[in-house]
Amino acid sequence: MVAKRIIPCLDVKEGRTVKGINFVGLQDVGDAVELGRMYAEQGADELVYLDISATHEGRNTFTSLVERIARNINIPFTVGGGISTIDDAARLLDAGADKISINSAAVRNPALIDEIAAKYGSQFVVLAVDAKQIDGVWRITTHGGRRLTEKELFSWAREGQERGAGELLFTSMDHDGTRNGYPCDTFAALADTLSIPIIASGGAGSVGDIAEVLSVGKADAALAASIFHYGEITVEELKKELRKQNIKVRL
């Protein structure tokens, strides 16, 4: 059995790690490289850095940051946020990122998945999907959950896989921020539908929530931010607790 992965997520604004609620009331929580290095030392399997700076200057700053991360951190890391063209992806991959995450731009232009996968390989492409349930149907949203689309979760996930995405990062907008756990039935159904790894995001409030989505939900990895940033648990402590519940993780 392949070991399950634990992936801290760091939101970055102008080169610094920030935390907030829906990008409001952002507080600086430290240097993005140093925080990432700490998580790596604690045993994180990978890291995800999301650029929430919208300006051109912010993108340049983020590219410089990616170069620093690549020089200083020895575990794989994914970058996302505002990647809308193959040139955006190329800039970040060439700066040293191991993978890129695309979301709204892929919904707008699905061929972007094909382009990046064809140039760099599927293993470099993570399709991030935000969805909410409307009348029992999981509908895809874009722009941080603010815009509802006609796309449906399972058909879009299958299309993304067919176009060349190497992983799916799924966030339930209904569960995100609630800290009440994940929609494990939906994750399990996705796992039965797809052949690519699935990363669970949004809803983690406890070790039990993460354990459930990795076992019952059949997710391959769990992404988390607040429980690590607020010091509620370290990556190492989380992994030891997961081991006690017979979930295979690397220590």
Side-chain angles (χ1 to χ4, degrees):
M1 184 189 296
V2 176
K4 305 287 188 175
R5 290 170 288 149
I6 301 300
I7 308 175
C9 181
L10 300 89
D11 289 332
V12 175
K13 183 176 173 62
E14 293 164 3
R16 301 287 292 181
T17 306
V18 295
K19 64 184 178 186
I21 298 173
N22 296 328
F23 299 157
V24 176
L26 296 176
Q27 296 178 323
D28 189 306
V29 294
D31 180 80
V33 175
E34 291 307 313
L35 203 52
R37 198 200 321 254
M38 180 182 75
Y39 291 145
E41 289 171 353
Q42 290 177 4
D45 298 289
E46 299 178 20
L47 300 169
V48 168
Y49 286 90
L50 296 179
D51 180 14
I52 64 171
S53 303
T55 64
H56 178 67
E57 291 78 8
R59 286 197 294 275
N60 290 339
T61 301
F62 190 64
T63 305
S64 299
L65 173 66
V66 169
E67 292 171 346
R68 282 180 55 216
I69 296 166
R71 286 196 304 268
N72 288 280
I73 292 176
N74 62 356
I75 61 174
F77 68 99
T78 299
V79 296
I83 297 171
S84 57
T85 67
I86 194 163
D87 289 341
D88 292 335
R91 175 170 45 83
L92 295 166
L93 290 168
D94 292 346
D98 294 279
K99 307 175 198 175
I100 56 96
S101 167
I102 51 177
N103 190 332
S104 300
V107 174
R108 187 170 61 250
N109 174 24
L112 181 63
I113 304 170
D114 305 71
E115 284 185 71
I116 300 171
K119 181 171 181 178
Y120 288 98
S122 292
Q123 71 272 23
F124 290 93
V125 185
V126 179
L127 177 61
V129 173
D130 301 329
K132 62 174 64 175
Q133 279 195 303
I134 307 289
D135 297 326
V137 176
W138 284 98
R139 296 268 298 280
I140 301 297
T141 68
T142 61
H143 299 81
R146 293 187 297 277
R147 296 188 190 176
L148 189 65
T149 77
E150 292 301 315
K151 288 187 182 291
E152 183 271 334
L153 172 61
F154 288 86
S155 59
W156 176 231
R158 283 193 298 271
E159 181 180 346
Q161 176 178 277
E162 288 164 4
R163 286 181 177 275
E167 290 185 273
L168 180 78
L169 169 58
F170 169 48
T171 303
S172 162
M173 301 304 296
D174 300 324
H175 295 75
D176 189 44
T178 65
R179 298 168 67 92
N180 288 329
Y182 303 84
C184 289
D185 290 349
T186 303
F187 275 101
L190 278 170
D192 290 339
T193 299
L194 304 177
S195 59
I196 58 175
I198 297 169
I199 305 167
S201 166
S206 67
V207 172
D209 292 336
I210 293 173
E212 185 180 29
V213 81
L214 294 176
S215 54
V216 177
K218 302 182 184 179
D220 299 275
L223 190 82
S226 296
I227 62 171
F228 298 134
H229 294 344
Y230 289 107
E232 294 173 24
I233 194 167
T234 67
V235 177
E236 184 179 21
E237 289 166 346
L238 171 61
K239 285 188 164 187
K240 286 179 177 176
E241 290 298 319
L242 293 173
R243 274 279 183 94
K244 290 178 185 175
Q245 299 188 40
N246 296 316
I247 294 171
K248 185 178 179 181
V249 290
R250 295 185 193 89
L251 283 175

